[in-house]
Amino acid sequence: MTLSVLWFLLITILWVGYLTLEGFDFGVGMLLKILGRDERERRTMVQTIGPHWDGNEVWLITAGGATFAAFPEWYGTLFSGAYPALFLILLGLIVRVCAIEWRGRINAQSWRDRWDWAHTVAAWVPSILWGTAFANLVQGMEIEVVDTANGAVVPAGQVSPDALLAGASHQVTGGFFSLLTPFTLLGGAATCLLFLTHGALFTALKTTGDLSRRAAALARRLGIVSTLVAVVWGLWAVRFSATTWAWLPLAGAAVALAASLFCSFQERQRLAFGLHFAAIACVTALIFTAMAPDVMRSSIDPAYSLTITQAASADTTLAIMTVVAVIFLPIVLFYTIWGYRTFSARISAERVDPAVGGLHPTRVRDNSQPASVDH
């Protein structure tokens, strides 16, 4: 196995970590105004993800940084070609951070309601766009190799699959609307539904009483729809794959989704959530398996596709990155597991006092008042 292939696999693992963990964060955010009937329940839902959401985003930062360092041509082509979609995702993530951190700063229901709506919208946007973006990588984008000096398209016959062409770069020459096709839109719907189900299962697992029962009931209804949509999208995605290996993660995802749904109807919440976690991991593996051996597939001509070999950094860079990964990846895994074990207890909405927490609205600019924060 070459170092470039090893790093393609490591980046796949980083995205598996991000989408499986951040997926339920997004789901809880999307359901905040649907499941949470009052301030007690909405505050409880935010508290379920409170100790974890920022740690989960470390996986995204690491995946992005690793892609930039290991595959700079992939990073540059993707970010320049899908800039509007990636900007909206980044904007959604920033707004969500503000909503989670600031909703408890002022003890006024109108203030919390505004931030809850911001949180909800900011969770829906990336949940849909992540699926659309990954579906574009599977289906292929309008990519050509362009001479950087004069902007002329290089004939496909002059492009080598083993190395970048000197003085030229891969560029997405299609516009924004070329990214929106029935397949990519279905991909957005699939990730959104999977995250909604993931969030409902997590809420059912982490809360008690009526909120937990309603979340479990919603997870069963969402689970039926998300399983059907995800399997249809997966079957469609396999048709774009250059190898038969993509059938393995698809089969794993289908089995895990069906088993999670069965456990959900049996009210075995912990097992249902674990199996759904595995299903999202398999769907992510399906995306990267279907892409390989390309990192960005051209829908214009296969010769314009950006391959793993073309996009990779020098072996010296990849070797240094491998040493760093061997040291730090176990640390990230350790504190992630530690965090979930430490904050594993269920949270009861009945024990939340909505009158407590945050500054009184008339004292916001009073420097003599100490801040008290309770999300």
Side-chain angles (χ1 to χ4, degrees), residues 43 104-108 112 355-361 370-374:
R43 190 185 293 191
R105 296 287 175 178
I106 297 178
N107 193 358
R112 289 173 177 143
V356 174
L359 288 170
H360 190 277
S372 174
V373 178
D374 188 344

Side-chain angles (χ1 to χ4, degrees), residues 266-340:
Q266 297 293 313
E267 299 186 355
R268 301 171 68 180
Q269 294 172 351
R270 188 178 298 276
L271 187 55
F273 179 75
L275 287 165
H276 204 267
F277 191 97
I280 294 180
C282 288
V283 171
T284 310
L286 165 64
I287 291 168
F288 283 84
T289 307
M291 287 163 52
D294 303 317
V295 290
M296 292 197 73
R297 182 170 297 158
S298 172
S299 60
I300 296 175
D301 190 312
Y304 290 135
S305 296
L306 181 62
T307 65
I308 293 174
T309 304
Q310 288 173 324
S313 293
D315 279 355
T316 305
T317 302
L318 296 177
I320 294 171
M321 290 178 62
T322 304
V323 174
V324 173
V326 168
I327 296 172
F328 287 100
L329 192 56
I331 296 174
V332 174
L333 286 171
F334 171 78
Y335 79 69
T336 300
I337 295 170
W338 176 85
Y340 281 93

Side-chain angles (χ1 to χ4, degrees), residues 70-71 77 93 107-108 165 231 255 307 328 334:
F71 300 100
T77 307
L93 295 178
N107 193 358
L165 196 64
V231 170
V255 170
T307 65
F328 287 100
F334 171 78

Side-chain angles (χ1 to χ4, degrees), residues 62-141:
T62 309
T67 306
F68 174 75
F71 300 100
E73 186 74 5
W74 181 10
Y75 188 92
T77 307
L78 177 62
F79 273 76
S80 61
Y83 179 77
L86 295 174
F87 173 77
L88 287 174
I89 290 174
L90 180 61
L91 184 63
L93 295 178
I94 292 171
V95 171
R96 198 174 67 108
V97 171
C98 295
I100 294 173
E101 289 293 329
W102 291 353
R103 82 176 301 278
R105 296 287 175 178
I106 297 178
N107 193 358
Q109 197 55 50
S110 58
W111 169 268
R112 289 173 177 143
D113 284 342
R114 283 195 290 272
W115 282 117
D116 285 345
W117 276 114
H119 187 172
T120 301
V121 173
W124 278 88
V125 170
S127 296
I128 296 171
L129 290 181
W130 276 131
T132 305
F134 279 116
N136 269 286
L137 295 178
V138 173
Q139 171 194 259
M141 303 163 72

